[in-house]
Amino acid sequence: MSIEAGKHRPPEHTGQVLVLRDVVRVHGSGDAEVRALDGLTISIAAGEFVAVMGPSGSGKSTLLHLAGGLDTPTSGTVRVEGTDVGALSVSGRAALRRRHIGYVFQDFNLIPTLTAAENVALPRELDGTGRKAARTEAMAALAELEVQDLADRFPDEMSGGQQQRTAIARAIIGKRRLLLADEPTGALDSHTGEAVLEVLRGRADAGSAVVLVTHDARFAAWADRVIFLRDGTVIDTAGVDSAEELLAHSR
Amino acid sequence: MNRLRILLLLAWRDAVRHKGRSLLIVALVALPVLVIGAADVLLRSQQGTPEISVRGQLAGSSAYLWAPLGAASTDQSPADTWAGQFVAVDKSARPAATATFEGGPGDPAMVDVGQTPLRSASEVLALLPAGSSVTPWDHGNTPISADGIRYRMADADLLDLASPAAGDRYRVTAGTAAAGPDQLTLTPALAAELGVAVGDTISVGAPARDYRLVGLVEATVHGSTPVKAVVGQANAVAGVAQWNGPRYLVASPVPIGWDLVQQLNAVGIQVYSRAVALDPPFVPEQPYDSGAAIGLAAAVILVVLGLTQVVFLSGPAFAIAARKMRRQLGLAAATGAAPKHIAGVVLGSGVLLGVIGSMLGTAIGALIGVWIQHPLTKWTGIDFPGVTVRFGELALIAGIGAVTSVLAAAWPAVTALRTDPIAALARRAKPPKRPGMISLLGLVLAGVGVIVVVWAASRSIPAEITGMARSDVTGQRSLWIGAGLVAIQLGLVVGTPQLIALFARLGRVLPTTPRMALRSTARHRGRSTGAVATILVASTGAVLAAVLIHTMNAQQETEYRPALRTGIVTGTSYSTAPDGAVTADGRDRAERAVDGLVERLWPGAPSAVANRLAVVGHQSEEVVPTEAADYRCPWYSPANGSSYVDRDITVPDAGESAAAATDIRCAGMSFSALTPEQGHIAVSNGQSSMPSIVVGDATYRRLLTGVDDPAADSALTAGKVVVLDRHYFDKGKFSISTMEWPNNADKPTYHPAGSAPAVLGRWALSPVIAIVPPAALASLNAMAGAPGFVVETASATRAEAESLSATGEAAGLSLSVYVETGLPPWTSEFPSVWLILWIAVALIIGVVLVVTALGVVDADDDSATYAAVGASANLRRTLSGWSALTTTGVGCLLGAASGLLVSWGIYRLLQNLNGGEVGMLVPWPQLAILVIALPAVAFGLAALFTRSKIQLIRRAE
Ligand SMILES: Nc1ncnc2c1ncn2[C@@H]1O[C@H](COP(=O)(O)OP(=O)(O)OP(=O)(O)O)[C@@H](O)[C@H]1O
Ligand SMILES: [Mg+2]
C-alpha cells in the first residue's frame, strides 16, 4: 500500500488553510529545555485530509496546539486561513478558533453541564449568534453526524462514540474549514473509531482541511497524506514502504 | 446579550450540578448578610417609630400631665418625656423652690417646695380644652404578697380603667376592672408568679393591707409600661410614690398643641402631649446630628462585610469552585471562548450565588430579627416597642451582600483570565508559588513586636519616679505594649504563608498521612491563610480576656473582706422622726414588728433584735465613737478634720504609705498607693447598711460574730460595752461624741456625749465597732434607737434580702438589709470581657467549620488516585482531619503565645504601677482547651463531614 496516495479521490486545491513555516516551539529553558517542535514547515490545503503520526513526545499535540492558536510558536509563523496566528492577541486567537477552527480531543470533549445541542452551539453563541439561530445550526451539525436524536442529552448520558460525534459536530459548526483532531479515536473501539474516521473523511471531501493525530496506521490510511514527526521534525518518508514500517523504524 | 446568557447558563448549570459546593457558597454569602439583616431589624424595632413610642407612653390618651410640687412655673422642651427627669424651676421670687426631684422624704428641698399646694384633678381640668377628661395616675413600686408573710416588690400602676382618660392602657382579660378602693387587678404574669386567682385576697402596699383581686388585666402597650404590675385605682395603694406631685392622664377632644403646653408650663405643669410628640415645633437647639455617625457606621459595616466576604468566606469558596471548573473552562477556551468569557463564567457564578445567598440571608436574618425580639426581651430586658421592618434598608443590605460576593468572585475570575487552556486541558496544576518577600517581612515585624513588648514590660521604672510621673511612664509603656501587640498580630497575619510553609517543611519527619495533610495545607495556602489569621487574632483575644478574667478574679478574692459570715442576715431600720429621737412606745412597736417579721420569715431560726444607738436630738449618723488616742493610726490627724465616716489621713509619700498599710493601728483601712499630689487617702466604713454602734445583748454578739468569747458575753451581761474595733477601745472605756456640721462650715465639730466601761471583744471583721448593752446606755447618755435584727439562716440569697426589704416595707418599716453573699465574680461587673471570650471562641469554631467545609469541597480530586494505590477508605477522612487540625492548631498556638506574652506585659505594667499582690494567673485548663481541644475538635469535625466513599471520576468530567 502506498502511503503517498489515499484510498479516495485526490484533494481539490482551493487554497492553503493551514501553513506552518520554520516553526520552533521550545518549552522550558536551560537544562530543562525541550524543543517540542524544531523547524517544522507544513502546509495543508482545503479539502485535504492529513494524518500526523509519530512516537510519544514527538510533538504531535504541540503541532495541533499551534495550529489551533492555543499556543504560539517560539519562532516561525503559523497561518490559518492566511492569518498569522502568532500576531494575534489571546482574544483574537479565541475569535479565530470560534470562527475557523474545530477541535476534537481524545476524550472529555464536552462540557458536562451543557446538553449535546448546547455544546455544539457554544462557539456560535459565544460569537454572538442568537440562541434560536445557533440551535438551528447545531441541530444541522448534529444531523450531519446522525446524532440529532441526542440533542438534549447531557454528555454523561451518551456513549463514548456518541460524545465524539457530538464533539465533531461542534468542530464543524459554522463556516469552519480547519478541523484538528488529537487522537479522536483513542478512547473508542475500532468499529466506532472507523465510523469517526468516515465522518472526518467526509468533512475533507466536503472541502475542509482535516488534521488527524493518530497512533493507528489503519486510521492513517484514511488520509490523503501522512506526516511523520520525530523529535519535532518531519521525517523524510522517501524510500519507506508503509506506515507500519516507518513507525516500527522510528520507535 | 446572548453571550451573557450562555455565560450565566454555564455558571448556573455548574452550580446546580455541584449542589454541596454551591450550598456552601450560598451559606457563606448569606451568613454575614444574615447577621446584618437581623441587626437592622432589631435596631429599627428597638428604635420604633414616633407613633410606637408615643403609644408606648400614652396608650390611647391625649396627654400626660405632671404638676410637680411647689413649681410655680416650669420650662420644658418638646422632646421631654415624662420619665421623671424634669427639673422644676421656679422663676419667680423664690429661688429656694428650685428643686430636682431626686431626694426622698426628709429632704430639705422637699420640705421647702411642699408648701405649694397640690393641684387637684378639677383644677387641672379647668385649664384644659372643653370636653376633656382627666384621671389621676400614680406609678411606682410596692410590696405585694399572696400570703401576707413573704412580700416582693412589684410595679404598680394606679388609675381608674373606667375613665376615658386612661386611654385603654389595660385590657381586662378576666373578671372586672378595680372599681373600689379595696379592689385590685393584676397582670396575668404577676398573678401567675404569686399563684393567685381572681377572687383571692392579696396584701399590697406599705404598710400593707388586704385587697380583693377582682380581675386580670393585660397591658395594651409595651415600652415603659410594666408588663408585671398591680393595677388599681389611684390612691388605692398606700406607699406608692406620690411625693413627686400628682400626675394625670388626659383625654382631650382636640389635640393639645405646643401653645397649650406652654400655657400649662407657665402654671407649673409639665406636659407630654401626643400632638407635640408626633409633630414637634421647631426648636433651635436640636440634639446632635446623627447623620454623620450613621454614615460612618454604614461605611464600617460595608468594609467589614466586604472584607469578610472577599477574604474569609465566599472568596476562597469561589476560588475553589473556579479551580474545579478549570478543565471545563479550558475546553471552552479550545472551542473559542475568549479570556473575558471565561472570567465571565466565574463572575457569573458570583452574581448568581451572591444574589441567592444575600437574598436568602437577608430574609432569614429579618425573620430571626423579628423572632428573637421576644426571647431577647426576656433575657436581657431590652425593650422592643414594636416590630419595625424597613424594607428599603433590607433591600440595600441584600444588594451590598450581592455586590460583595461578586467582588469575592472577582479574584478567582482574574485568575481564570490567565488560565492556560493547554495546561487546563492536560489537568496540569500550577506549582504553588513560594511565599513571597512580604510574608517574610511580616515575620520580621512580628519579631520586632515581641521585642517591643518584652522591652516595655520588663524594664522596671526607677523608684525616683513616683506619682503622676510614674503613671505617665506606665501610660507610655502601655502604648508601647499596644503597639507591640499590633505589630505581632499584623506580622503574624501577613507572615502566615511563610509559617505554613515552615510547618510543612517541619512536617517531613511526620508519618505519611499528616505529612500529606501538611503538604496540602501548604499547597492550598489561599484557603488556609485567612483561616489561620482569623483563628490567630481570635485566640489572642480569647487568651488576653481569659488571663485578665482569671487574674482579676483572684485579685478580688484576696482583697475581698466579707463583712459577715455567710448565711447571716442583718436588717436595720431608720428613724424617720425629724429630730432622730425615738419614743419608747414607737420603738417598742417597731421592735415587735421586726421580731414578728423575722419569726414569720425564718420560723425558729436563731435571731436577736439590735437597735441603733441613738442620742436625743441627733440623727443616727451624727453619733460617732471616739477614737483611742494611743491606738490612733499615726497618719490620721484630727487637725485635718473629719468624721468617723470620712477621715482624711495625710501620708507624706509612697514609702510611708507602705508602712501605714502594715501598721496594726491602721488595720482595717484600705490603702491605695499614695502620691504626694493626692496627699491623703479617703477611708470609709463601707458597710453603710449596718450601724456601727449597736444596742444588743450576748445573743446578738454571738450571732453577729460567730465567735465564742465568754469574757465578752459576761461583760455584756454585766453591763459593759464590748468593743470590736481596737481603735475605739481607750483604756477600758468606750466613748461617743455627737457631731455637728453646720451648713457653711468646712469641718464638723465634736461634743463628747458620754463614756462607759468596756472590754475588747474578739472579731476580725468589723462592720460593727461596739455592742452596747442596754445597761450601759445611761452612762453614754444614749438610748436604743430604731430597731434592727440579726438572724442566722442556712443560706440567704440576694432575692431573700429583697423579699425581706419588701416585707419590711409592707410592715411599715424602712428596712435596710445586708446579706453576706460572698464575692461576686469580677466579670459580672465586666460582661464585655466575657463577651470577647465568647465571641473569640465562636469565631474560632465558625472559622474551623468554614475551613473544614472548604477543604471537604476541595478534596475530591485525588480520591481515585488514592483508591488506585490501595489506600484505605478512611484515608480521605484522616487527611481532611489533619488538614483542619494543622490550620486550627497553628492559629491557636500562635494566638495563645502572643496572647500570653501581651497579658504578661500588661500584668508587669500593672505591677509596676500598683505593686499588685497577686501574680499573673494563667487559666491553664482553658488554655489547654484552646490549644489542644479546639484543634482536636476541628480534626473530628473535618473527619466527620468528609465523605469516605471513593468516587470514581465522572465519565464526562
Ligand atoms: N508545558 C510543557 N512544558 C515542558 N515540556 C512540554 C510541555 N508540553 C509539552 N512538552 C514536551 O514537548 C514534547 C512534545 O510534547 P507533545 O505533547 O506535543 O507530544 P505528543 O507527540 O503529543 O506525544 P503523545 O503521543 O504522548 O501525546 C514532549 O517532550 C513534552 O514533554
Ligand atoms: Mg499528544
Side-chain angles (χ1 to χ4, degrees):
Chain A
M1 180 179 79
S2 161
I3 55 163
E4 302 295 320
K7 283 180 190 169
H8 301 273
R9 61 194 161 100
E12 304 160 33
H13 284 271
T14 52
Q16 301 296 328
V17 177
L18 175 66
V19 178
L20 283 78
R21 196 174 307 281
D22 300 326
V23 168
V24 175
R25 178 67 175 99
V26 181
H27 288 293
S29 62
D31 280 350
E33 185 181 287
V34 180
R35 297 180 85 80
L37 289 179
D38 198 1
L40 196 69
T41 300
I42 301 173
S43 60
I44 296 167
E48 201 179 1
F49 185 168
V50 175
V52 178
M53 299 186 78
S56 185
S58 59
K60 306 184 292 293
S61 296
T62 306
L63 166 62
L64 284 206
H65 291 155
L66 290 169
L70 287 173
D71 197 2
T72 47
T74 311
S75 69
T77 53
V78 178
R79 287 179 184 279
V80 174
E81 303 275 15
T83 311
D84 183 354
V85 175
L88 292 175
S89 66
V90 180
S91 317
R93 296 205 301 272
L96 185 75
R97 279 198 296 281
R98 282 203 295 277
R99 289 167 201 156
H100 300 296
I101 303 169
Y103 240 117
V104 183
F105 301 101
Q106 178 171 351
D107 52 7
F108 302 129
N109 267 301
L110 303 178
I111 291 176
T113 55
L114 296 182
T115 63
E118 284 166 348
N119 259 293
V120 174
L122 181 65
R124 304 296 297 138
E125 294 207 38
L126 286 176
D127 213 27
T129 312
R131 189 157 86 103
K132 287 231 179 75
R135 182 167 169 99
T136 313
E137 283 184 52
M139 290 309 287
L142 283 167
E144 204 172 315
L145 286 136
E146 294 166 1
V147 282
Q148 67 271 39
D149 296 345
L150 307 176
D152 294 319
R153 288 212 199 162
F154 284 95
D156 53 9
E157 298 162 348
M158 292 189 264
S159 73
Q162 290 167 339
Q163 285 185 33
Q164 281 317 70
R165 280 165 178 270
T166 308
I168 295 170
R170 186 181 58 198
I172 63 173
I173 193 171
K175 297 190 192 72
R176 285 148 209 262
R177 291 202 307 163
L178 179 58
L179 208 164
L180 306 170
D182 196 343
E183 296 184 53
T185 54
L188 303 177
D189 64 70
S190 58
H191 182 74
T192 322
E194 290 283 337
V196 166
L197 259 293
E198 208 165 329
V199 170
L200 295 180
R201 179 70 248 171
R203 282 311 291 177
D205 293 346
S208 288
V210 177
V211 183
L212 168 74
V213 169
T214 182
H215 281 289
D216 194 330
R218 278 178 304 149
F219 294 141
W222 287 77
D224 300 318
R225 183 151 67 96
V226 179
I227 294 171
F228 289 96
L229 286 185
R230 194 205 291 159
D231 298 335
T233 47
V234 181
I235 304 167
D236 188 3
T237 53
V240 183
D241 269 350
S242 69
E244 284 88 348
E245 192 187 325
L246 188 79
L247 277 178
H249 179 77
S250 64
R251 269 187 192 133
Chain B
M1 205 57 235
N2 194 44
R3 250 172 276 191
L4 197 65
R5 189 195 66 86
I6 192 77
L7 300 182
L8 283 176
L9 179 74
L10 269 171
W12 174 245
R13 289 272 177 81
D14 190 68
V16 169
R17 194 181 170 88
H18 302 102
K19 289 192 189 65
R21 191 203 298 158
S22 310
L23 218 71
L24 177 69
I25 297 181
V26 166
L28 293 181
V29 170
L31 216 66
V33 178
L34 182 150
V35 171
I36 292 173
D40 180 70
V41 170
L42 283 180
L43 211 73
R44 288 308 188 184
S45 297
Q46 206 211 332
Q47 285 177 345
T49 58
E51 285 75 16
I52 287 175
S53 64
V54 169
R55 201 178 152 67
Q57 303 275 8
L58 289 177
S61 308
S62 313
Y64 160 79
L65 307 185
W66 177 30
L69 288 176
S73 73
T74 83
D75 247 349
Q76 72 171 95
S77 86
D80 284 339
T81 65
W82 58 280
Q85 295 175 2
F86 292 140
V87 177
V89 181
D90 186 347
K91 285 189 282 193
S92 66
R94 292 174 52 213
T98 298
T100 60
F101 291 99
E102 284 165 351
D107 188 324
M110 295 308 303
V111 178
D112 197 3
V113 296
Q115 287 154 4
T116 305
L118 303 180
R119 281 197 187 75
S120 70
S122 54
E123 270 179 276
V124 170
L125 191 59
L127 300 166
L128 293 171
S132 298
S133 59
V134 167
T135 193
W137 182 28
D138 274 327
H139 182 83
N141 225 248
T142 187
I144 180 167
S145 166
D147 56 8
I149 295 174
R150 223 167 263 271
Y151 284 78
R152 50 158 292 168
M153 298 304 282
D155 280 317
D157 223 358
L158 299 180
L159 84 162
D160 183 1
L161 297 188
S163 163
D168 298 321
R169 183 168 285 266
Y170 289 92
R171 190 160 34 85
V172 179
T173 57
T176 60
D182 52 358
Q183 297 189 348
L184 281 182
T185 56
L186 299 179
T187 54
L190 184 57
E193 239 169 64
L194 291 168
V196 292
V198 174
D200 287 354
T201 301
I202 49 174
S203 304
V204 182
R209 66 182 182 84
D210 286 352
Y211 294 82
R212 209 160 67 77
L213 181 61
V214 294
L216 299 181
V217 293
E218 194 108 56
T220 58
V221 293
H222 294 285
S224 47
T225 310
V227 181
K228 285 181 197 166
V230 188
V231 182
Q233 286 187 315
N235 304 320
V237 178
V240 171
Q242 225 200 347
W243 43 268
N244 273 351
R247 308 160 187 228
Y248 300 103
L249 281 174
V250 177
S252 154
V254 292
I256 296 178
W258 182 235
D259 288 344
L260 183 52
V261 168
Q262 283 178 316
Q263 284 169 33
L264 289 166
N265 278 180
V267 295
I269 296 174
Q270 307 265 1
V271 183
Y272 179 76
S273 155
R274 175 181 301 272
V276 174
L278 288 181
D279 184 16
F282 174 77
V283 177
E285 83 273 17
Q286 279 290 325
Y288 67 98
D289 177 24
S290 56
I294 289 174
L296 188 71
V300 168
I301 287 175
L302 240 163
V303 169
V304 169
L305 177 65
L307 274 181
T308 32
Q309 283 288 25
V310 174
V311 180
F312 298 116
L313 295 170
S314 50
F318 278 123
I320 288 170
R323 193 156 61 233
K324 295 258 161 174
M325 282 183 85
R326 210 165 149 242
R327 201 182 140 76
Q328 282 185 52
L329 297 177
L331 199 57
T335 347
K340 63 174 184 219
H341 298 138
I342 307 271
V345 175
V346 177
L347 266 186
S349 70
V351 173
L352 284 174
L353 300 175
V355 167
I356 294 174
S358 47
M359 273 171 37
L360 261 177
T362 314
I364 296 173
L367 283 180
I368 290 177
V370 171
W371 171 82
I372 206 170
Q373 287 181 10
H374 188 65
L376 257 186
T377 307
K378 228 156 99 186
W379 298 331
T380 64
I382 297 172
D383 200 42
F384 297 98
V387 173
T388 311
V389 179
R390 303 222 175 161
F391 289 99
E393 280 173 16
L394 289 181
L396 196 71
I397 290 168
I400 291 168
V403 169
T404 51
S405 73
V406 172
L407 282 180
W411 177 246
V414 168
T415 315
L417 266 180
R418 295 192 298 238
T419 309
D420 170 16
I422 299 172
L425 285 168
R427 298 211 194 182
R428 255 200 304 266
K430 261 189 267 164
K433 269 191 289 177
R434 310 190 77 235
M437 200 57 201
I438 295 178
S439 155
L440 199 68
L441 282 178
L443 290 191
V444 173
L445 182 66
V448 170
V450 170
I451 293 170
V452 166
V453 170
V454 170
W455 171 82
S458 58
R459 264 193 41 190
S460 61
I461 302 171
E464 311 83 87
I465 302 177
T466 53
M468 285 302 271
R470 196 172 184 86
S471 56
D472 273 354
V473 172
T474 319
Q476 284 161 16
R477 295 275 172 85
S478 70
L479 277 184
W480 276 109
I481 289 187
L485 173 64
V486 170
I488 293 173
Q489 296 288 292
L490 214 68
L492 285 180
V493 167
V494 174
T496 301
Q498 277 286 357
L499 283 172
I500 295 175
L502 195 77
F503 272 84
R505 229 166 299 144
L506 284 181
R508 281 201 191 123
V509 292
L510 292 174
T512 320
T513 321
R515 195 178 62 228
M516 279 167 73
L518 264 178
R519 279 279 162 76
S520 110
T521 308
R523 206 180 169 79
H524 298 131
R525 230 179 284 124
R527 196 175 76 211
S528 22
T529 302
V532 171
T534 316
I535 292 174
L536 193 146
V537 174
S539 48
T540 304
V543 167
L544 260 171
V547 171
L548 206 63
I549 289 172
H550 211 58
T551 306
M552 291 301 189
N553 271 342
Q555 181 103 24
Q556 277 219 330
E557 239 159 69
T558 44
E559 280 172 7
Y560 185 72
R561 311 240 187 286
L564 296 169
R565 291 175 295 137
T566 311
I568 298 292
V569 181
T570 67
T572 315
S573 65
Y574 292 102
S575 158
T576 54
D579 61 352
V582 181
T583 61
D585 176 49
R587 190 194 64 223
D588 287 350
R589 257 189 294 122
E591 227 165 74
R592 275 198 302 280
V594 165
D595 218 9
L597 187 62
V598 170
E599 186 54 36
R600 272 189 306 177
L601 287 172
W602 289 286
S607 70
V609 170
N611 301 60
R612 282 177 189 275
L613 187 80
V615 173
V616 175
H618 292 276
Q619 305 271 330
S620 70
E621 60 273 15
E622 289 170 0
V623 180
V624 297
T626 311
E627 284 193 324
D630 64 336
Y631 213 77
R632 177 175 292 151
C633 177
W635 289 273
Y636 166 53
S637 149
N640 288 332
S642 86
S643 67
Y644 146 77
V645 184
D646 179 25
R647 286 172 297 186
D648 286 344
I649 300 176
T650 308
V651 178
D653 59 41
E656 282 201 39
S657 151
T662 52
D663 192 313
I664 184 73
R665 292 168 297 180
C666 305
M669 305 175 176
S670 97
F671 283 85
S672 55
L674 282 187
T675 64
E677 285 85 349
Q678 286 165 335
H680 64 273
I681 321 167
V683 179
S684 73
N685 180 290
Q687 312 299 340
S688 59
S689 62
M690 264 182 279
S692 52
I693 310 170
V694 179
V695 181
D697 56 9
T699 322
Y700 171 77
R701 192 205 64 78
R702 274 196 302 273
L703 281 175
L704 183 77
T705 64
V707 172
D708 259 344
D709 192 351
D713 287 349
S714 51
L716 282 171
T717 320
K720 285 186 185 171
V721 176
V722 170
V723 180
L724 294 172
D725 186 334
R726 177 70 184 78
H727 298 99
Y728 303 98
F729 182 67
D730 192 5
K731 302 184 190 94
K733 277 196 144 66
F734 175 72
S735 315
I736 57 170
S737 312
T738 54
M739 180 187 82
E740 233 174 302
W741 202 335
N743 263 342
N744 46 7
D746 55 344
K747 260 181 239 171
T749 53
Y750 294 91
H751 309 287
S755 80
V759 299
L760 200 57
R762 294 205 292 124
W763 193 22
L765 318 168
S766 52
V768 172
I769 286 168
I771 302 169
V772 178
L777 285 171
S779 45
L780 287 172
N781 288 314
M783 61 182 294
F789 62 86
V790 60
V791 61
E792 183 174 13
T793 67
S795 68
T797 60
R798 187 162 296 282
E800 268 178 316
E802 278 160 12
S803 159
L804 187 61
S805 169
T807 307
E809 221 175 294
L813 284 173
S814 179
L815 261 189
S816 158
V817 180
Y818 187 88
V819 174
E820 178 59 56
T821 55
L823 175 72
W826 172 78
T827 36
S828 64
E829 291 165 44
F830 295 89
S832 53
V833 181
W834 275 117
L835 204 67
I836 291 176
L837 194 61
W838 286 119
I839 288 178
V841 169
L843 205 64
I844 294 172
I845 292 176
V847 170
V848 167
L849 285 176
V850 168
V851 172
T852 307
L854 290 179
V856 169
V857 166
D858 205 12
D860 286 338
D861 301 319
D862 325 326
S863 63
T865 319
Y866 293 150
V869 298
S872 88
N874 269 331
L875 180 70
R876 284 187 58 210
R877 281 180 187 276
T878 331
L879 261 182
S880 73
W882 275 110
S883 238
L885 185 135
T886 322
T887 311
T888 319
V890 171
C892 285
L893 211 70
L894 291 174
S898 56
L900 275 182
L901 177 76
V902 172
S903 35
W904 169 77
I906 292 175
Y907 164 72
R908 277 296 306 250
L909 268 193
L910 289 177
Q911 213 179 23
N912 257 330
L913 188 67
N914 299 333
E917 290 164 32
V918 181
M920 180 175 112
L921 291 176
V922 179
W924 293 111
Q926 284 91 327
L927 209 66
I929 288 178
L930 183 71
V931 177
I932 299 167
L934 260 181
V937 167
F939 182 99
L941 282 175
L944 197 70
F945 287 115
T946 306
R947 273 172 302 182
S948 66
K949 205 179 77 204
I950 288 159
Q951 284 182 304
L952 291 176
I953 303 168
R954 283 205 180 100
R955 201 203 284 172
E957 214 159 3

